[in-house]
Amino acid sequence: MTCTESAYAKLNLALDILGRRPDGYHDMRMVMQSIDLADRVTISSQAEPGVSVNTDLPYLPRGEGNIAAKAAARFFEETGLPFPGLAIDIQKQIPVCAGMAGGSSDGAAVLRVLRRACAPEMALERLEEIGALVGSDVPYCVRGGTVLAEGRGERLSELPPLPPCWLVVCKPSCSVSTPELFAQVRVKKLRCHPDVTGMTAALEQGDLEGIARRLYNVFEDVLPRRYIQVFEMKSALLEHGAMAASMTGSGPAVFGIFRDEEPAAQAAEALQAQCASVFFCRPAQPQL
Ligand code: ATP
């Protein structure tokens, strides 16, 4: 068996934190969107038992530490199917530690391939449950598209697709620590929360303007000022004509929404002078 699967990056159109739970996790309310910036994940059977992982980024874990390997191990543990030897090759396009769920998406791509190959009768919800055992963003990445994710990120409700648009993503060179950012959040002290209900209604109406107006990520409220590049790139996106701009996840990647291709392409080109990693993207939907 050899199968290649696209593992799409995610953006947060909205990210809200509702509270801290007794288990230490936070209750989240997020509108997630897949984009066509994707890693290529190729899975082949191999004679040796266990999973080996090869990636084109030498600093990523190659063995069991890779989220893709964890997902494969969980799949066979949970289904009870015999674990064949697997070789996973990952060609990374999604920037690492950017708030774009690159690792989770690789894990989700492995789960989709294994379901297709070994358990085609398995309900999508069951596959997402297995994903939740691998990581909080994995269930969403299994399904992808435009989704409301609640709880730790495992309670998913499909939303109408984002209307046709263009997305310019800039990944500043700084790296933000996700645990540090969560530690900064005092839910009662957050100054604003995204209007997720309004965004859902705007998605239902296909109202791109209404969606753009409601882009918001509460992490921006607590992001230390030393991550100045995040704020600079957000302003630069707006100066270059984005309808709205926001940080995704715990950053540092930021993105802007554009209605039309030409201004988006021009913005992406111009922003390369300010930021080493700029991506010109469209919304995407994984094949289940
Ligand atoms: P999120 O948006 O879900 O918070 P992120 O985009 O901030 O995720 P990732 O790129 O998914 O972060 O990587 C987070 C960590 O996971 C890194 O420290 C990396 O070493 C590890 N990792 C393990 N497997 C992978 C993989 N397949 N791709 C990327 N990172 C991986």
Side-chain angles (χ1 to χ4, degrees), residues 10 39 59-61 65-68 90 92 95-104 106 137 178 249-251:
K10 70 94 181 141
D39 295 344
Y59 56 85
L60 288 182
N66 197 292
I67 301 169
I90 306 173
K92 292 294 294 182
V96 176
C97 292
M100 299 175 78
S104 303
D106 295 344
D137 277 345
T178 306
S250 55

XYZ file of all heavy atoms in Angstrom, residues 10 39 59-61 65-68 90 92 95-104 106 137 178 249-251, ligand 1:
210
model
N -4.635 24.984 9.140
C -5.875 25.645 9.596
C -5.597 27.081 10.001
O -4.477 27.437 10.441
C -6.550 24.882 10.737
C -5.827 24.903 12.088
C -6.282 26.000 13.035
C -5.488 25.952 14.337
N -5.063 27.039 14.997
N 0.865 20.071 3.828
C 1.970 19.103 3.823
C 1.526 17.929 2.960
O 0.332 17.644 2.848
C 2.230 18.581 5.253
C 2.720 19.670 6.203
O 3.143 20.733 5.715
O 2.661 19.442 7.434
N 14.849 18.671 11.947
C 14.666 18.851 13.389
C 13.332 18.288 13.896
O 13.088 18.274 15.107
C 14.805 20.337 13.772
C 13.880 21.267 13.027
C 12.572 21.481 13.459
C 14.312 21.930 11.882
C 11.725 22.335 12.779
C 13.468 22.793 11.192
C 12.180 22.987 11.642
O 11.355 23.823 10.956
N 12.470 17.798 13.018
C 11.205 17.222 13.504
C 11.430 15.779 13.945
O 12.268 15.083 13.380
C 10.141 17.257 12.405
C 9.577 18.630 12.075
C 8.501 18.513 11.003
C 8.995 19.307 13.305
N 10.661 15.324 14.957
C 10.839 13.944 15.417
C 10.594 12.944 14.296
O 9.675 13.121 13.496
C 9.794 13.793 16.528
C 9.160 15.108 16.737
C 9.636 16.063 15.705
N 7.797 10.117 18.431
C 7.510 11.485 18.865
C 6.771 12.285 17.801
O 6.193 13.333 18.102
N 6.765 11.794 16.576
C 6.059 12.540 15.528
C 4.554 12.300 15.650
O 4.111 11.160 15.843
C 6.557 12.127 14.139
C 6.147 13.156 13.108
O 4.967 13.314 12.807
N 7.120 13.908 12.610
N 3.776 13.376 15.536
C 2.319 13.267 15.721
C 1.724 12.279 14.706
O 0.763 11.572 15.011
C 1.664 14.666 15.610
C 2.254 15.597 16.681
C 0.156 14.592 15.748
C 1.894 17.062 16.535
N 2.319 12.193 13.529
C 1.832 11.259 12.512
C 1.989 9.817 12.998
O 1.092 8.982 12.817
C 2.600 11.469 11.213
N 6.833 12.770 5.271
C 6.116 14.056 5.365
C 6.957 15.144 4.710
O 8.082 15.426 5.143
C 5.835 14.442 6.837
C 5.102 13.304 7.552
C 5.001 15.722 6.904
C 4.922 13.527 9.047
N 7.032 18.875 4.449
C 6.396 19.988 5.149
C 6.289 21.228 4.262
O 7.230 21.612 3.584
C 7.214 20.375 6.394
C 7.241 19.350 7.512
C 5.908 19.110 8.189
C 5.348 20.280 8.971
N 4.054 19.899 9.635
N 4.330 26.012 8.065
C 5.366 26.382 9.032
C 5.120 25.730 10.396
O 3.969 25.577 10.809
C 5.284 27.913 9.103
C 4.076 28.313 8.356
C 3.591 27.157 7.546
N 6.211 25.344 11.053
C 6.130 24.621 12.336
C 5.974 25.632 13.479
O 6.558 26.718 13.446
C 7.406 23.762 12.523
C 7.416 23.058 13.878
C 7.512 22.729 11.400
N 5.172 25.273 14.467
C 4.913 26.134 15.640
C 4.459 27.521 15.199
O 5.005 28.537 15.639
C 6.150 26.240 16.533
S 6.545 24.693 17.347
N 3.468 27.557 14.356
C 2.977 28.813 13.799
C 1.544 29.120 14.208
O 1.030 30.189 13.933
C 3.056 28.755 12.267
N 0.865 28.135 14.861
C -0.565 28.297 15.160
C -1.425 27.830 14.007
O -2.608 28.157 13.920
N -0.838 27.001 13.112
C -1.558 26.554 11.919
C -1.810 25.036 11.946
O -2.189 24.451 10.940
C -0.775 26.953 10.660
C -0.613 28.469 10.576
S 0.409 28.980 9.189
C -0.765 28.802 7.848
N -1.597 24.419 13.105
C -1.923 23.003 13.327
C -1.232 22.054 12.348
O -1.810 21.033 11.963
C -3.438 22.796 13.293
N -0.003 22.365 11.973
C 0.705 21.522 11.007
C 0.865 20.082 11.471
O 0.544 19.147 10.730
N 1.327 19.891 12.696
C 1.521 18.536 13.206
C 0.188 17.803 13.341
O 0.069 16.641 12.935
N -0.816 18.496 13.888
C -2.142 17.875 14.045
C -2.712 17.476 12.692
O -3.357 16.437 12.551
C -3.116 18.862 14.701
O -2.616 19.284 15.939
N -1.000 16.631 10.007
C -0.295 15.431 9.530
C -0.892 14.187 10.199
O -1.123 13.173 9.539
C 1.208 15.520 9.842
C 1.897 16.654 9.092
O 1.308 17.173 8.115
O 3.022 17.022 9.474
N -6.275 19.554 18.498
C -6.650 20.065 17.170
C -6.861 18.951 16.149
O -7.294 19.210 15.029
C -5.541 20.992 16.625
C -5.661 22.413 17.160
O -6.720 22.757 17.713
O -4.689 23.177 17.020
N 3.000 28.412 23.388
C 1.556 28.247 23.634
C 1.262 28.165 25.145
O 0.372 28.882 25.628
C 1.014 27.003 22.889
O 1.373 27.120 21.516
C -0.491 26.872 23.017
N -4.524 30.813 15.979
C -4.111 29.981 17.114
C -3.302 30.795 18.106
O -3.612 31.955 18.394
N -2.225 30.187 18.601
C -1.369 30.923 19.540
C -0.224 31.606 18.795
O 0.770 31.978 19.407
C -0.841 29.968 20.615
O -0.182 28.879 20.002
N -0.417 31.788 17.477
C 0.529 32.548 16.687
C 1.826 31.798 16.475
O 1.961 30.634 16.842
P -1.302 24.296 16.864
O -1.809 25.302 15.909
O -2.102 22.979 16.832
O -1.053 24.809 18.247
P 1.382 24.643 15.874
O 1.172 25.022 14.445
O 1.620 25.767 16.800
O 0.137 23.774 16.348
P 3.021 22.411 15.059
O 3.681 22.908 13.835
O 1.868 21.489 14.887
O 2.589 23.637 15.999
O 4.189 21.702 15.923
C 4.213 21.684 17.307
C 5.280 20.746 17.850
O 4.997 19.402 17.444
C 6.691 21.047 17.398
O 7.468 21.173 18.571
C 7.162 19.819 16.646
O 8.478 19.419 16.956
C 6.186 18.720 17.062
N 5.816 17.821 15.930
C 5.663 16.496 16.000
N 5.282 15.993 14.813
C 5.185 17.024 13.968
C 4.831 17.138 12.590
N 4.470 16.073 11.863
N 4.826 18.356 12.048
C 5.143 19.443 12.799
N 5.506 19.390 14.090
C 5.525 18.199 14.672
